[in-house]
Amino acid sequence: RDDVSDWSSDVCSSDLFNMAINLDKLVGFHQSALAIRTDRMEVISGNLANANTPGYKAKDIDFNKAMESAMSAQEGQHKLGGGSLARTHDKHIGGDISSVASNFEMQYRIPTQPDTGDGNTVEVQAERNRFLDNGLRYQATLEFINGKVKGMKKALSSGGQ
């Protein structure tokens, strides 16, 4: 019995029981990916909505650059201990660096088809394809996060027993 009590006190005092669950490590990357994909869906939707607007220039978000920016902002947020920007004057507008959209530049799309004469650069079929591709990738990211959360739930409930 002394061996058992020694073992249980060692295990209970170990880091295993004191370990905090860090959700940022679990889904932080994928959370940023979802936010960028959501923003990209809005941009592509805007392109499609303006397909017949003379002079409208199709826009897009470079997903890779946006993810790099989001990850570096997230690392900086962890180093600084939070996501809020410091206001140094009462008239300054408060900000939140966790906003993904503020961390990258919108780009104009280079058309692959000749100009139709109205200056509009939206190519409807290509935009639809991008929208569908982005939607599928968004859904895949959601499924991945869902799997991670299910795994976490199972682990927290002692393996479902």
Side-chain angles (χ1 to χ4, degrees), residues 21 29 39 42 84 89 127-128 145 153:
I21 298 170
F29 175 86
D39 289 346
E42 291 177 11
S84 297
H89 191 274
E127 295 296 329
R128 286 181 184 154
I145 290 173
K153 281 182 172 180

Side-chain angles (χ1 to χ4, degrees), residues 46-59:
N47 290 345
L48 288 168
N50 287 291
N52 294 323
T53 304
Y56 182 82
K57 305 297 181 200
K59 302 171 195 166

Side-chain angles (χ1 to χ4, degrees), residues 74-102:
Q74 192 174 39
E75 287 173 14
Q77 180 179 355
H78 291 302
K79 289 177 185 172
L80 295 173
S84 297
L85 297 176
R87 289 179 53 194
T88 58
H89 191 274
D90 289 339
K91 294 191 180 203
H92 289 173
I93 297 173
D96 184 8
I97 62 172
S98 64
S99 170
V100 178
S102 66

Side-chain angles (χ1 to χ4, degrees), residues 21-95:
I21 298 170
N22 187 339
L23 291 177
D24 280 342
K25 286 184 180 178
L26 182 68
V27 295
F29 175 86
H30 301 288
Q31 176 186 0
S32 297
L34 281 178
I36 293 167
R37 293 220 181 275
T38 299
D39 289 346
R40 188 163 188 242
M41 286 280 232
E42 291 177 11
V43 170
I44 295 170
S45 296
N47 290 345
L48 288 168
N50 287 291
N52 294 323
T53 304
Y56 182 82
K57 305 297 181 200
K59 302 171 195 166
D60 200 1
I61 294 170
D62 184 336
F63 181 80
N64 293 331
K65 285 183 183 177
M67 278 303 295
E68 286 175 15
S69 178
M71 291 294 92
S72 64
Q74 192 174 39
E75 287 173 14
Q77 180 179 355
H78 291 302
K79 289 177 185 172
L80 295 173
S84 297
L85 297 176
R87 289 179 53 194
T88 58
H89 191 274
D90 289 339
K91 294 191 180 203
H92 289 173
I93 297 173

Side-chain angles (χ1 to χ4, degrees), residues 9-19:
S9 67
D10 287 345
V11 169
C12 290
S13 65
S14 74
D15 287 9
L16 178 66
F17 286 98
N18 296 325
M19 183 174 27

